[in-house]
Amino acid sequence: MTTHAIIERIAAIVGPQGLLTDPRDLEPYVVDWRGIYRGASPAVVRPASTGQVAAVVELCAESGTPLVPQGGNTGMCGASVPHATGREIVLSLARMNRVLEVDALNNTMTVEAGCVLANIQQAAAEADRFFPLSLGAEGSCQIGGNLSTNAGGVNVLRYGNTRDLVLGLEVVLPDGRIWNGLRGLRKDNTGYDLKHLFIGAEGTLGVITAAILKLYPRPAATATTWTAVPHPEAALEFLSLLRRHCGDRVTAFELVSRNCLDLVLHHIPGARDPLPKAHDWYVLAELSDSHPGHALRRELEVALEAAIENALVLDAVIAENEAQSRALWRMRESIPEAARAEADMLYRHDIAVAVSKIPEFIREARSALVGRFPGVNIICFGHLGDGNLHYNAFVPGRKRNDAAAREARDVTVVVYDIVQRHHGSFSAEHGIGLAKLDEMRRYKSPVEIELMLTLKHALDPRGIMNPGKVLSGDG
Ligand code: FAD
Ligand code: ZN
């Protein structure tokens, strides 16, 4: 079948509103959010129902036409855009954006995969419930994309990753069959738990069309503190102490180095040091509770007093109101923007090690980088409570438009080799896509890669589902 004939048959399935072929309309679908990966595609298909997705995928399977599932196209690894060959069709879930059911007593919500995350949070709030997944892209990313990347975000410490927030899935398999796993059960040990195969698979094993999500009581009170700590070990002890005092109410625990704060103060208009004196390390911590009132703040004060007595915390400020809390969060959230403004060629690492190993990792990585790259500038911050750091660095003088510097992976190899020695992860939150194929080859064991390829070939023998992503040479 020619591409033209395939597109005509797809048009018959999805109708005129379901198909884009004008190159100007295709533009936003073929370039990734960071503008690093640019592909090409003959068409973007926008089905309106699971039945239409299934019919399109079946046709693609029959004709050997590769396809790329796409949500909000905010992913960080180039997984959501087609290759430059121009053969792959983009399958956008954007029109499948309905909340199908809220079951408040079961604390669940059934949604189509194209629902924008912020709309899901809103629908949960309208039912006096809370959907905890929250990240910078929430105004445009879709739940299908969040599931397919197993997104993290700022509430992982208490509520887990996207994987932990799902009870059931509906998936169109690479041959066009529909697997209906939409069960809102908290207990179900009936064989392999298939939904977990598709979560974090970056669209390489099937198209997620709907999900049943877990809901929680709505937080009525929050308390936010910005504290100075002497070193990362003290930050870890402080986390332990805070959890002893406040239990599950600790929802966020972020580490920030002084260097990060300096960059924010320098580049972000209106940024202000929350504390009177400079310190080497900071923690931004947040508590939340479903009970309103001031008890939470009192609890935080008691925990901070104990931490100061034990020399774990050197100084601290507690937000007096919502605006102050937002200002503290802004210091943390502006770090990536400030780093971009400072460094032309930035090496980014989204790493995880066991929470207990974070201080050792920080020490070893610093000493290795400083030894090899004199003058290196390290931008270390992240979700300490999850053992996940955004450990970025730049070498003064290296420019983005300098091809040799762009190719230089030396900084990255130094960092990931240390991560590997600690049995850590070279991609904690963002996935693999196209960006981390080299690391998959270098750090994953042959057994792990073989198991993944076995699953890929079993589910997608024709290799049509987002080929070349996650596993290279999977076709
Ligand atoms: P896309 O980018 O469209 O797709 C991502 C992958 O999922 C691709 O492989 C695609 O093929 C696949 N896919 C999409 N929909 C489906 C589907 N229905 N079925 C099968 N496969 C599908 N991530 C974090 O984890 N934590 C953060 O804090 C965070 N912050 C961010 C902040 C900003 C400003 C931005 C731009 C991104 C951030 N991200 C973060 C990246 C994050 O991975 C994405 O925002 C989000 O999870 C991807 O959703 P999406 O709908 O945009 O998916
Ligand atoms: Zn993060």
Side-chain angles (χ1 to χ4, degrees):
M1 230 187 294
T2 63
T3 307
H4 182 72
I6 292 164
I7 289 175
E8 284 210 327
R9 283 184 61 186
I10 290 178
I13 296 166
V14 295
Q17 313 101 299
L19 191 67
L20 305 174
T21 51
D22 185 326
R24 278 167 307 186
D25 295 336
L26 301 192
E27 177 65 14
Y29 298 87
V30 297
V31 184
D32 78 316
W33 186 83
R34 290 200 288 165
I36 294 176
Y37 298 97
R38 168 174 286 277
S41 175
V44 173
V45 183
R46 294 159 45 90
S49 68
T50 302
Q52 289 188 0
V53 175
V56 169
V57 174
E58 191 181 353
L59 178 63
C60 287
E62 267 170 36
S63 58
T65 309
L67 55 94
V68 184
Q70 191 177 96
N73 196 14
T74 67
M76 294 290 200
C77 300
S80 54
V81 292
H83 293 275
T85 57
R87 287 189 61 232
E88 294 156 48
I89 284 171
V90 175
L91 191 135
S92 163
L93 280 295
R95 287 174 73 212
M96 293 178 56
N97 58 3
R98 288 175 306 158
V99 172
L100 300 174
E101 190 196 9
V102 179
D103 183 344
L105 291 179
N106 195 39
N107 277 310
T108 52
M109 178 189 242
T110 309
V111 297
E112 289 185 319
C115 277
V116 169
L117 176 56
N119 296 342
I120 292 178
Q121 295 164 344
Q122 180 64 30
E126 281 161 16
D128 194 28
R129 294 292 184 275
F130 179 58
F131 183 61
L133 183 63
S134 172
L135 44 104
E138 64 199 20
S140 47
C141 63
Q142 299 172 7
I143 192 67
N146 302 143
L147 287 159
S148 300
T149 56
N150 185 28
V154 292
N155 289 324
V156 173
L157 181 60
R158 173 150 176 203
Y159 298 99
N161 294 298
T162 308
R163 188 184 294 286
D164 303 299
L165 303 172
V166 189
L167 293 178
L169 285 188
E170 179 187 72
V171 179
V172 170
L173 302 174
D175 59 7
R177 281 178 301 162
I178 299 169
W179 170 54
N180 185 337
L182 287 177
R183 295 186 285 265
L185 305 177
R186 286 184 166 74
K187 291 188 148 185
D188 179 17
N189 289 347
T190 51
Y192 303 151
D193 197 341
L194 296 174
K195 64 178 175 290
H196 288 300
L197 272 184
F198 302 98
I199 299 170
E202 301 182 44
T204 61
L205 299 179
V207 182
I208 297 175
T209 45
I212 300 192
L213 307 173
K214 290 189 203 169
L215 301 178
Y216 291 83
R218 211 138 69 106
T222 59
T224 315
T225 178
W226 178 274
T227 67
V229 296
H231 37 67
E233 283 87 350
L236 259 190
E237 290 291 331
F238 175 38
L239 171 60
S240 219
L241 180 147
L242 201 57
R243 285 180 131 172
R244 218 161 43 239
H245 279 256
C246 309
D248 239 7
R249 283 178 286 265
V250 185
T251 42
F253 198 91
E254 302 282 312
L255 183 72
V256 175
S257 71
R258 176 70 206 184
N259 191 27
C260 298
L261 184 62
D262 281 338
L263 291 180
V264 170
L265 294 174
H266 188 207
H267 291 287
I268 305 297
R272 212 170 50 76
D273 193 335
L275 296 171
K277 278 204 318 213
H279 298 272
D280 288 344
W281 293 94
Y282 302 93
V283 163
L284 173 63
E286 190 158 281
L287 307 184
S288 69
D289 199 345
S290 51
H291 289 291
H294 295 295
L296 198 63
R297 188 196 161 98
R298 184 67 206 127
E299 243 180 280
L300 178 58
E301 282 168 358
V302 170
L304 278 173
E305 278 160 23
I308 288 170
E309 237 165 64
N310 289 299
L312 302 178
V313 165
L314 303 170
D315 199 0
V317 56
I318 299 180
E320 293 291 340
N321 50 42
E322 177 72 25
Q324 283 185 12
S325 165
R326 269 205 306 277
L328 295 179
W329 271 105
R330 187 159 168 262
M331 304 303 291
R332 157 66 182 86
E333 284 166 352
S334 306
I335 298 171
E337 191 186 329
R340 260 199 309 273
E342 175 82 15
D344 198 31
M345 179 63 212
L346 190 63
Y347 296 89
R348 292 188 174 83
H349 313 101
D350 165 37
I351 68 102
V353 294
V355 176
S356 53
K357 298 279 186 237
I358 287 268
E360 223 171 309
F361 166 80
I362 289 176
R363 236 187 348 264
E364 286 176 21
R366 158 164 284 281
S367 129
L369 287 181
V370 168
R372 274 210 42 198
F373 311 101
V376 68
N377 195 314
I378 296 170
I379 302 164
C380 173
F381 64 101
H383 320 288
L384 178 63
D386 311 331
N388 173 199
L389 292 178
H390 298 301
Y391 193 86
N392 303 336
F394 66 92
V395 180
R398 282 191 183 178
K399 296 266 178 251
R400 181 174 286 278
N401 60 8
D402 171 352
R406 211 167 48 235
E407 291 305 313
R409 298 183 57 251
D410 44 9
V411 174
T412 290
V413 170
V414 167
V415 173
Y416 289 152
D417 281 357
I418 296 171
V419 170
Q420 177 78 352
R421 274 212 308 285
H422 287 288
H423 310 289
S425 169
F426 55 84
S427 186
E429 286 192 314
H430 296 153
I432 304 299
L434 292 171
K436 301 223 170 137
L437 291 173
D438 284 349
E439 284 75 18
M440 285 295 269
R441 276 188 290 267
R442 185 177 167 95
Y443 299 110
K444 283 279 178 190
S445 72
V447 173
E448 223 167 326
I449 295 282
E450 266 173 48
L451 274 175
M452 290 190 199
L453 283 170
T454 304
L455 286 169
K456 171 72 179 167
H457 291 147
L459 283 162
D460 183 18
R462 293 177 191 84
I464 61 160
M465 204 51 82
N466 213 359
K469 314 287 172 53
V470 182
L471 297 161
S472 47
D474 60 8

